[in-house]
Amino acid sequence: DVKVTQSSRYLVKRTGEKVFLECVQDMDHENMFWYRQDPGLGLRLIYFSYDVKMKEKGDIPEGYSVSREKKERFSLILESASTSQTSMYLCASSLSGNEQYFGPGTRLTVT
Amino acid sequence: QKEVEQDPGPLSVPEGAIVSLNCTYSNSAFQYFMWYRQYSRKGPELLMYTYSSGNKEDGRFTAQVDKSSKYISLFIRDSQPSDSATYLCAMSPLLFNDYKLSFGAGTTVTVRA
């Protein structure tokens, strides 16, 4: 079974803090994704990566950056967290041309 | 206007009822249509996908696509409490297009025992 794990299930941070969200997949997938999920808005793509050290902006990249130094790990970084970034963050991975497998999500609250 | 519209519900039905979920969309380039199921405190998992117009059946689940009306549906027959989840529609111009999935907001369903 494909396993996508995320470093934290729940996280509470203060405004202005730097926040790191980690995602690890164990199936040698090329592609990895970060989404945020908000009530009434569904899933929105923040960034994705199709190879190590490669990244592409999704629909809402503002305020976020990513890092992919190893194939199995994809990190989402909030350089200076704001209350508008309070959300559920979902990581996913896929083999090219195949379905995306999602992690359990990290619920981030910024106060 | 959102590219994909989905009634957020919530929907509450008794066990054994038929659950009907719908999405409408505006982009005529969409060819592949997917339904994801998301249990509480879990990530979404792919339930079914269909191509172009028509029906697809998988056990108690039936997905329908009407491209002329830009309307897709998911029916759950003989619903069970284990079907209680949020259901998200997603669509793409290409099958499993790696970065062009457009999601609906999700409909939360509760099946009462």
Side-chain angles (χ1 to χ4, degrees), chain A residues 13-38:
Chain A
K13 295 292 182 182
R14 293 191 184 277
T15 301
E17 276 194 82
K18 191 169 186 175
V19 182
F20 292 88
L21 302 181
E22 297 276 317
C23 175
V24 178
Q25 51 94 4
D26 67 355
M27 285 304 292
D28 204 33
H29 286 173
E30 297 98 346
N31 305 311
M32 296 189 75
F33 309 81
W34 275 106
Y35 293 89
R36 62 178 284 176
Q37 184 175 27
D38 299 288

Side-chain angles (χ1 to χ4, degrees), chain B residues 79-92:
Chain B
S79 57
Q80 305 294 309
S82 58
D83 295 326
S84 298
T86 296
Y87 291 82
L88 301 111
C89 63
M91 40 201 82
S92 169

